[in-house]
Amino acid sequence: MTIDRRGLLAGTAVLGAALSVRPVVAATPGVGGDGGAGALPMPVPSDLLPEPLPVIDRNRTRMERGWLFHEGDVVPPRPQGHHETYLSVKAGNAPGAAALDYDDGDWAAVDLPHDWASFQPFVETANVSQGYRARGIGWYRRRFRLDPADRGGRLELHFDGIATHAQVWINGNLAARSWSGYSAVIVDLTPFATFGDEANVVAIRVDADAMEGWWYEGAGIYRHVWLVRRAPVSIATDGVHCDPRKGPDGWHVPVTVTLDNVGPEAAAVTVGAALIAPDGRRLGGALAAGRAPPLDTGQVTLDLPVADPALWSVDRPQLHRVVVRLEHGGRAVDERSVPVGFRTIRFDPDRGLFVNDRPVKLKGVCLHQDHAGVGVAVPDSLHQWRLERLKAMGCNAIRCSHNAPAPEFLHLCDRMGFLVMNENRIFNPSPDYLAQLEWLVRRDRNHPSVMLWSVFNEEPMQGTPAGVEMVRRMVAAVKRLDDSRPVTAAMNGSFYEPRNVSQVVDVMGFNYFQADYDRFHAANPRLPVTSSEDTSAYQTRGAFRTDEAAHIHTSYDEEAADWGGTHRATWKRIAERAFVAGGFVWTGFDYHGEPTPHAWPTVSSFFGIMDLCGFPKTAFDIHRAHWTDDPPVVSIAPHWTWPGREGEPIKVFVASNVPRAVLRLDGKIVGEGPVDRIMGAEWTVPYRPGRIEVEAWDGDRIVARAAHETAGPPVALRLTPARVRMRGDGEDAQGVTIDTIDARGRHVPTANLPTRFTVEGGSIIGVGNGDPNSHEPEKGQARRLFNGLAQIIVQSAAGTGPLCIRAEADGLRPAAITMRRVAAPVPAQVAAMADESLVRNWRRSPRLAARPEPTLTPADGDNNSWDLVRSGTVTLADPVRGWRVYRSRVVPRRRLAARGGTITFEQVTGIAGLWVDGRPVATKPDPTPGPLTAPLPAGEGPHVLVLIVEAAPGRESGITGLVRVR
Ligand code: GAL
């Protein structure tokens, strides 16, 4: 990190003005800059707001508020009688918590995204890989209304991610099953929908005992959820493929549009496509006619040639847009606006990756998707912040290991300039799993950031004929959907088997096994090679001595898994070989679970370049020196607060992209010499409190500095946000750093004390401190500092005004900061409807010539002589007078069972009498349509309802309106 005093003071001034920080914050040497670990880890808050993500499809409305959640399974009683069994397997009659009329009155109200595992305590009996937290089964339910104007159109629900297996019922019908915690669950609810006052009920059973990974996968509906309302003839979901191509005659955008038609007739349509430049200019357009048969899809292709477009690259990620418009019957009925980038990708077997014909070394990290405090329910803005941290380190590539990322994540990669290796989860070419791979390619093939598909990670069958056959099929499936990007597989062995997977992919992906690079390349000189995964080094953030018993790992970059290597040694092997396209460090951030090389009580990983909160370890500075060419950077490790170690020799490690360093202690030179850009430099300095500083010399100029000062005991808390402003959209979230400072305002890197905090104008959605051994809850209003730091993840409340955080710790001066919430559109939400108990299903007797007894019941084995009718159904007129019996059963809501309620027929047609549990309770003497109301007695039920309706000759009759129980 460069310590430029002017920049530092300016930064602090911004901080002071915008944050109204208590006066304890001073312009402290070493506080500021970009937040490496090698000087004090306190980035200057930014004044920028996260930009809204692109809206591709305006037919989608979020459906994330007002859900009900039940932790644990709900097992309905098995049917006993014959007719009950008969009914139980009929459409619309899903039992238990999937049922339309299930009593969810005591379920918890939750908003999505939601990861219930992140609320769980750590327990030794739970799965180590998943981070020692119970996952289990959970249920979600929600009611919503559909406007009658939506009738006839196409309706879908999109769940961008549910961990892990899920079943989705719409109005009592099983409408989707998902076998992947990373694929979207796309539910076509068109045929099941009801319109008007009757609620649609969506019920979801989530099985999070199912595992797809050996890392923390979370539990629940953890990504965005949308209700999609389209015209009867529309553009299909993920139905625009518009990935630019460079051909012999220059650039063009081939556009393929998939159409959907839920209407009754074939539709003749017109599709228009336009290419919009980054500055908003229209660069060209095309029109084509198409046809969509009813209940089928159609396809229209167009082509948009363009001369000399602004190119997309990692340094200048310029995005165009393809706007596709669908016209039907002379009206515009649908539209998509898809960001695209013009760039070429080429892997060369000898020279690695070329983007736009320029060599680009992949300086990549593997990422899991969780963060401290929030688990896998990561707000979009937190994804953005994590990517900013990676960008600040010089990282240019991300491997989404080992699964499809959130769609927002890829939009951010497009916008920020990352190259993405997009990886399939389950290695299996059978139809269910191939569908997951195809979905991934279809969803993500327009992203300029996506440069490589990966069909698997480390599969034991990688060196077998069967494994080869499986990969061949999966590669073919990818190529059918996207012929522009190469396909890889991340192999960890079997490289030389006579039949192995490297023979059927475009790019060889090496997980570890760096010693094999040269041999493999010599044996396969035509096959491009990348490291798909490497390093697996261990570091505990802020620790500089390994303590095996305490599960703490030094951050001097000395320790790694047997199969990996230190950050430096690993990158050296990649950097020295032009034919290796680059690498992906395992991992960019620590993640919950996989506490290798330990187990309980350790609950999260040590592999991260940053910890679980995104606080940098020494690895951050090491990679920044490797990966940034400009500006010059230098860092110094460890910190310089070691009370009790006076006189002891301390190893001082310097990482820099500048060739020479001078190390000073209180101004006096204590080390001097060359710095290897990859390996860094080391000196041993006897410890004495003071200021240790490194100067990075380029020729005769100091181009960068970093320093640490010995801190005294902590006297005050300090809060530092990443940003001084937040979007008042109710979603914007950021991590706020909490640390302590000494009497002179210096960060105290050794403080490990408990803190408490409160927030106004927002909420705390999680807390963390990056300690892999901590069992403190990740929710709540308290957190112990770990090696000087903790993080509060705050989310803005909708609206403008201040967002204030106050923090306290015993014996220290408290801290308070105020951030500004600025006006920002609050994403519209589909309103949630309150619970309403409806009696929907009746058995209706045949017409009877004489008034029947209310005890008249069909035989249990008789499925046929009594009809099954729904409330609201008219019974057609008969030529003669007659009576019909309607029977139903009501299990009252728990609160009604205690004190009783009212049953209301909105409309009954005919003369009617009502019996509840065999007792007459109401009559309706007037034959014209009208309401009928009666008390429902207390008691758990089921209560038996019997309505006898008398119809005059030639007159309609029956239960012609909704029936409510209140
Ligand atoms: C690899 C694997 C990763 C992670 C890593 C830990 O084998 O692909 O998911 O487990 O090892 O070193």
PDB file of all heavy atoms in Angstrom, residues 452-473:
ATOM      1  N   LEU A 452     -14.987 -19.012 -20.442  1.00  0.00           N
ATOM      2  CA  LEU A 452     -14.640 -20.427 -20.424  1.00  0.00           C
ATOM      3  C   LEU A 452     -15.740 -21.159 -19.660  1.00  0.00           C
ATOM      4  O   LEU A 452     -16.131 -20.717 -18.576  1.00  0.00           O
ATOM      5  CB  LEU A 452     -13.295 -20.566 -19.698  1.00  0.00           C
ATOM      6  CG  LEU A 452     -12.565 -21.899 -19.674  1.00  0.00           C
ATOM      7  CD1 LEU A 452     -12.230 -22.372 -21.090  1.00  0.00           C
ATOM      8  CD2 LEU A 452     -11.250 -21.762 -18.880  1.00  0.00           C
ATOM      9  N   TRP A 453     -16.231 -22.247 -20.245  1.00  0.00           N
ATOM     10  CA  TRP A 453     -17.160 -23.114 -19.520  1.00  0.00           C
ATOM     11  C   TRP A 453     -16.371 -24.259 -18.920  1.00  0.00           C
ATOM     12  O   TRP A 453     -15.459 -24.786 -19.565  1.00  0.00           O
ATOM     13  CB  TRP A 453     -18.214 -23.711 -20.450  1.00  0.00           C
ATOM     14  CG  TRP A 453     -19.021 -22.725 -21.233  1.00  0.00           C
ATOM     15  CD1 TRP A 453     -18.943 -22.480 -22.567  1.00  0.00           C
ATOM     16  CD2 TRP A 453     -20.055 -21.857 -20.735  1.00  0.00           C
ATOM     17  NE1 TRP A 453     -19.847 -21.513 -22.943  1.00  0.00           N
ATOM     18  CE2 TRP A 453     -20.539 -21.111 -21.832  1.00  0.00           C
ATOM     19  CE3 TRP A 453     -20.612 -21.626 -19.473  1.00  0.00           C
ATOM     20  CZ2 TRP A 453     -21.558 -20.170 -21.714  1.00  0.00           C
ATOM     21  CZ3 TRP A 453     -21.620 -20.683 -19.362  1.00  0.00           C
ATOM     22  CH2 TRP A 453     -22.085 -19.963 -20.464  1.00  0.00           C
ATOM     23  N   SER A 454     -16.740 -24.656 -17.732  1.00  0.00           N
ATOM     24  CA  SER A 454     -16.097 -25.813 -17.116  1.00  0.00           C
ATOM     25  C   SER A 454     -17.180 -26.836 -16.813  1.00  0.00           C
ATOM     26  O   SER A 454     -18.179 -26.513 -16.161  1.00  0.00           O
ATOM     27  CB  SER A 454     -15.398 -25.382 -15.827  1.00  0.00           C
ATOM     28  OG  SER A 454     -15.125 -26.501 -15.021  1.00  0.00           O
ATOM     29  N   VAL A 455     -16.975 -28.064 -17.274  1.00  0.00           N
ATOM     30  CA  VAL A 455     -18.030 -29.058 -17.070  1.00  0.00           C
ATOM     31  C   VAL A 455     -17.899 -29.796 -15.745  1.00  0.00           C
ATOM     32  O   VAL A 455     -18.858 -30.409 -15.283  1.00  0.00           O
ATOM     33  CB  VAL A 455     -18.132 -30.074 -18.234  1.00  0.00           C
ATOM     34  CG1 VAL A 455     -18.585 -29.384 -19.509  1.00  0.00           C
ATOM     35  CG2 VAL A 455     -16.825 -30.816 -18.451  1.00  0.00           C
ATOM     36  N   PHE A 456     -16.697 -29.739 -15.135  1.00  0.00           N
ATOM     37  CA  PHE A 456     -16.599 -30.367 -13.811  1.00  0.00           C
ATOM     38  C   PHE A 456     -15.395 -29.894 -13.047  1.00  0.00           C
ATOM     39  O   PHE A 456     -14.499 -29.248 -13.580  1.00  0.00           O
ATOM     40  CB  PHE A 456     -16.639 -31.901 -13.910  1.00  0.00           C
ATOM     41  CG  PHE A 456     -15.390 -32.612 -14.419  1.00  0.00           C
ATOM     42  CD1 PHE A 456     -14.138 -32.423 -13.833  1.00  0.00           C
ATOM     43  CD2 PHE A 456     -15.495 -33.541 -15.441  1.00  0.00           C
ATOM     44  CE1 PHE A 456     -13.019 -33.128 -14.278  1.00  0.00           C
ATOM     45  CE2 PHE A 456     -14.375 -34.247 -15.893  1.00  0.00           C
ATOM     46  CZ  PHE A 456     -13.132 -34.032 -15.309  1.00  0.00           C
ATOM     47  N   ASN A 457     -15.395 -30.231 -11.788  1.00  0.00           N
ATOM     48  CA  ASN A 457     -14.231 -30.040 -10.937  1.00  0.00           C
ATOM     49  C   ASN A 457     -13.827 -31.373 -10.327  1.00  0.00           C
ATOM     50  O   ASN A 457     -14.633 -32.015  -9.638  1.00  0.00           O
ATOM     51  CB  ASN A 457     -14.555 -29.061  -9.799  1.00  0.00           C
ATOM     52  CG  ASN A 457     -13.415 -28.959  -8.810  1.00  0.00           C
ATOM     53  OD1 ASN A 457     -12.336 -28.498  -9.146  1.00  0.00           O
ATOM     54  ND2 ASN A 457     -13.637 -29.412  -7.580  1.00  0.00           N
ATOM     55  N   GLU A 458     -12.615 -31.798 -10.585  1.00  0.00           N
ATOM     56  CA  GLU A 458     -11.996 -32.941  -9.898  1.00  0.00           C
ATOM     57  C   GLU A 458     -12.926 -34.140  -9.799  1.00  0.00           C
ATOM     58  O   GLU A 458     -13.512 -34.402  -8.745  1.00  0.00           O
ATOM     59  CB  GLU A 458     -11.567 -32.532  -8.491  1.00  0.00           C
ATOM     60  CG  GLU A 458     -10.530 -31.438  -8.478  1.00  0.00           C
ATOM     61  CD  GLU A 458     -10.052 -31.089  -7.071  1.00  0.00           C
ATOM     62  OE1 GLU A 458     -10.632 -31.586  -6.093  1.00  0.00           O
ATOM     63  OE2 GLU A 458      -9.091 -30.322  -6.973  1.00  0.00           O
ATOM     64  N   GLU A 459     -13.065 -34.857 -10.879  1.00  0.00           N
ATOM     65  CA  GLU A 459     -13.957 -36.013 -10.853  1.00  0.00           C
ATOM     66  C   GLU A 459     -13.145 -37.302 -10.903  1.00  0.00           C
ATOM     67  O   GLU A 459     -12.298 -37.469 -11.791  1.00  0.00           O
ATOM     68  CB  GLU A 459     -14.937 -35.946 -12.026  1.00  0.00           C
ATOM     69  CG  GLU A 459     -16.005 -34.882 -11.832  1.00  0.00           C
ATOM     70  CD  GLU A 459     -17.006 -35.223 -10.736  1.00  0.00           C
ATOM     71  OE1 GLU A 459     -17.108 -36.415 -10.370  1.00  0.00           O
ATOM     72  OE2 GLU A 459     -17.686 -34.294 -10.246  1.00  0.00           O
ATOM     73  N   PRO A 460     -13.425 -38.212  -9.991  1.00  0.00           N
ATOM     74  CA  PRO A 460     -12.675 -39.476  -9.961  1.00  0.00           C
ATOM     75  C   PRO A 460     -12.738 -40.247 -11.284  1.00  0.00           C
ATOM     76  O   PRO A 460     -11.865 -41.057 -11.550  1.00  0.00           O
ATOM     77  CB  PRO A 460     -13.348 -40.258  -8.830  1.00  0.00           C
ATOM     78  CG  PRO A 460     -13.957 -39.213  -7.957  1.00  0.00           C
ATOM     79  CD  PRO A 460     -14.325 -38.078  -8.850  1.00  0.00           C
ATOM     80  N   MET A 461     -13.738 -39.964 -12.119  1.00  0.00           N
ATOM     81  CA  MET A 461     -13.838 -40.705 -13.386  1.00  0.00           C
ATOM     82  C   MET A 461     -13.075 -40.021 -14.517  1.00  0.00           C
ATOM     83  O   MET A 461     -13.184 -40.435 -15.686  1.00  0.00           O
ATOM     84  CB  MET A 461     -15.313 -40.865 -13.770  1.00  0.00           C
ATOM     85  CG  MET A 461     -16.045 -41.827 -12.840  1.00  0.00           C
ATOM     86  SD  MET A 461     -17.799 -41.847 -13.195  1.00  0.00           S
ATOM     87  CE  MET A 461     -17.815 -42.854 -14.667  1.00  0.00           C
ATOM     88  N   GLN A 462     -12.286 -39.002 -14.184  1.00  0.00           N
ATOM     89  CA  GLN A 462     -11.640 -38.198 -15.230  1.00  0.00           C
ATOM     90  C   GLN A 462     -10.637 -38.983 -16.094  1.00  0.00           C
ATOM     91  O   GLN A 462     -10.318 -38.562 -17.203  1.00  0.00           O
ATOM     92  CB  GLN A 462     -10.953 -36.986 -14.604  1.00  0.00           C
ATOM     93  CG  GLN A 462      -9.844 -37.320 -13.616  1.00  0.00           C
ATOM     94  CD  GLN A 462      -9.607 -36.221 -12.580  1.00  0.00           C
ATOM     95  OE1 GLN A 462     -10.164 -35.148 -12.669  1.00  0.00           O
ATOM     96  NE2 GLN A 462      -8.771 -36.502 -11.593  1.00  0.00           N
ATOM     97  N   GLY A 463     -10.184 -40.116 -15.585  1.00  0.00           N
ATOM     98  CA  GLY A 463      -9.225 -40.901 -16.357  1.00  0.00           C
ATOM     99  C   GLY A 463      -9.791 -42.218 -16.842  1.00  0.00           C
ATOM    100  O   GLY A 463      -9.042 -43.177 -17.028  1.00  0.00           O
ATOM    101  N   THR A 464     -11.108 -42.258 -17.017  1.00  0.00           N
ATOM    102  CA  THR A 464     -11.730 -43.514 -17.434  1.00  0.00           C
ATOM    103  C   THR A 464     -12.464 -43.313 -18.760  1.00  0.00           C
ATOM    104  O   THR A 464     -12.883 -42.195 -19.074  1.00  0.00           O
ATOM    105  CB  THR A 464     -12.772 -43.985 -16.397  1.00  0.00           C
ATOM    106  OG1 THR A 464     -13.839 -43.019 -16.370  1.00  0.00           O
ATOM    107  CG2 THR A 464     -12.166 -44.102 -15.009  1.00  0.00           C
ATOM    108  N   PRO A 465     -12.634 -44.395 -19.518  1.00  0.00           N
ATOM    109  CA  PRO A 465     -13.413 -44.271 -20.756  1.00  0.00           C
ATOM    110  C   PRO A 465     -14.819 -43.721 -20.488  1.00  0.00           C
ATOM    111  O   PRO A 465     -15.319 -42.901 -21.251  1.00  0.00           O
ATOM    112  CB  PRO A 465     -13.469 -45.704 -21.287  1.00  0.00           C
ATOM    113  CG  PRO A 465     -12.263 -46.374 -20.702  1.00  0.00           C
ATOM    114  CD  PRO A 465     -12.057 -45.744 -19.357  1.00  0.00           C
ATOM    115  N   ALA A 466     -15.444 -44.145 -19.399  1.00  0.00           N
ATOM    116  CA  ALA A 466     -16.797 -43.639 -19.102  1.00  0.00           C
ATOM    117  C   ALA A 466     -16.746 -42.129 -18.847  1.00  0.00           C
ATOM    118  O   ALA A 466     -17.590 -41.371 -19.342  1.00  0.00           O
ATOM    119  CB  ALA A 466     -17.381 -44.367 -17.900  1.00  0.00           C
ATOM    120  N   GLY A 467     -15.748 -41.688 -18.105  1.00  0.00           N
ATOM    121  CA  GLY A 467     -15.603 -40.248 -17.844  1.00  0.00           C
ATOM    122  C   GLY A 467     -15.449 -39.466 -19.136  1.00  0.00           C
ATOM    123  O   GLY A 467     -16.048 -38.396 -19.318  1.00  0.00           O
ATOM    124  N   VAL A 468     -14.686 -40.002 -20.048  1.00  0.00           N
ATOM    125  CA  VAL A 468     -14.487 -39.338 -21.342  1.00  0.00           C
ATOM    126  C   VAL A 468     -15.806 -39.254 -22.100  1.00  0.00           C
ATOM    127  O   VAL A 468     -16.158 -38.206 -22.656  1.00  0.00           O
ATOM    128  CB  VAL A 468     -13.406 -40.092 -22.156  1.00  0.00           C
ATOM    129  CG1 VAL A 468     -13.362 -39.591 -23.593  1.00  0.00           C
ATOM    130  CG2 VAL A 468     -12.043 -39.949 -21.486  1.00  0.00           C
ATOM    131  N   GLU A 469     -16.546 -40.356 -22.094  1.00  0.00           N
ATOM    132  CA  GLU A 469     -17.839 -40.347 -22.794  1.00  0.00           C
ATOM    133  C   GLU A 469     -18.789 -39.331 -22.171  1.00  0.00           C
ATOM    134  O   GLU A 469     -19.558 -38.660 -22.862  1.00  0.00           O
ATOM    135  CB  GLU A 469     -18.468 -41.745 -22.779  1.00  0.00           C
ATOM    136  CG  GLU A 469     -17.806 -42.726 -23.735  1.00  0.00           C
ATOM    137  CD  GLU A 469     -17.711 -42.171 -25.155  1.00  0.00           C
ATOM    138  OE1 GLU A 469     -18.727 -41.679 -25.678  1.00  0.00           O
ATOM    139  OE2 GLU A 469     -16.600 -42.200 -25.732  1.00  0.00           O
ATOM    140  N   MET A 470     -18.754 -39.247 -20.852  1.00  0.00           N
ATOM    141  CA  MET A 470     -19.634 -38.277 -20.173  1.00  0.00           C
ATOM    142  C   MET A 470     -19.255 -36.855 -20.566  1.00  0.00           C
ATOM    143  O   MET A 470     -20.115 -36.030 -20.903  1.00  0.00           O
ATOM    144  CB  MET A 470     -19.542 -38.483 -18.657  1.00  0.00           C
ATOM    145  CG  MET A 470     -20.201 -39.782 -18.195  1.00  0.00           C
ATOM    146  SD  MET A 470     -19.661 -40.313 -16.551  1.00  0.00           S
ATOM    147  CE  MET A 470     -20.444 -39.112 -15.501  1.00  0.00           C
ATOM    148  N   VAL A 471     -17.965 -36.575 -20.544  1.00  0.00           N
ATOM    149  CA  VAL A 471     -17.538 -35.210 -20.889  1.00  0.00           C
ATOM    150  C   VAL A 471     -17.866 -34.902 -22.342  1.00  0.00           C
ATOM    151  O   VAL A 471     -18.320 -33.785 -22.660  1.00  0.00           O
ATOM    152  CB  VAL A 471     -16.029 -35.021 -20.599  1.00  0.00           C
ATOM    153  CG1 VAL A 471     -15.519 -33.730 -21.213  1.00  0.00           C
ATOM    154  CG2 VAL A 471     -15.792 -35.011 -19.090  1.00  0.00           C
ATOM    155  N   ARG A 472     -17.674 -35.874 -23.228  1.00  0.00           N
ATOM    156  CA  ARG A 472     -17.985 -35.622 -24.649  1.00  0.00           C
ATOM    157  C   ARG A 472     -19.422 -35.137 -24.809  1.00  0.00           C
ATOM    158  O   ARG A 472     -19.705 -34.202 -25.561  1.00  0.00           O
ATOM    159  CB  ARG A 472     -17.809 -36.908 -25.458  1.00  0.00           C
ATOM    160  CG  ARG A 472     -16.383 -37.182 -25.883  1.00  0.00           C
ATOM    161  CD  ARG A 472     -16.326 -38.388 -26.805  1.00  0.00           C
ATOM    162  NE  ARG A 472     -17.079 -38.171 -28.021  1.00  0.00           N
ATOM    163  CZ  ARG A 472     -17.873 -39.079 -28.604  1.00  0.00           C
ATOM    164  NH1 ARG A 472     -18.005 -40.274 -28.071  1.00  0.00           N
ATOM    165  NH2 ARG A 472     -18.535 -38.799 -29.700  1.00  0.00           N
ATOM    166  N   ARG A 473     -20.318 -35.784 -24.094  1.00  0.00           N
ATOM    167  CA  ARG A 473     -21.723 -35.391 -24.211  1.00  0.00           C
ATOM    168  C   ARG A 473     -21.979 -34.002 -23.632  1.00  0.00           C
ATOM    169  O   ARG A 473     -22.767 -33.227 -24.165  1.00  0.00           O
ATOM    170  CB  ARG A 473     -22.610 -36.437 -23.520  1.00  0.00           C
ATOM    171  CG  ARG A 473     -22.845 -37.627 -24.419  1.00  0.00           C
ATOM    172  CD  ARG A 473     -23.182 -38.913 -23.705  1.00  0.00           C
ATOM    173  NE  ARG A 473     -23.270 -40.009 -24.680  1.00  0.00           N
ATOM    174  CZ  ARG A 473     -22.215 -40.593 -25.262  1.00  0.00           C
ATOM    175  NH1 ARG A 473     -20.963 -40.207 -24.940  1.00  0.00           N
ATOM    176  NH2 ARG A 473     -22.368 -41.545 -26.158  1.00  0.00           N
TER     177      ARG A 473
END
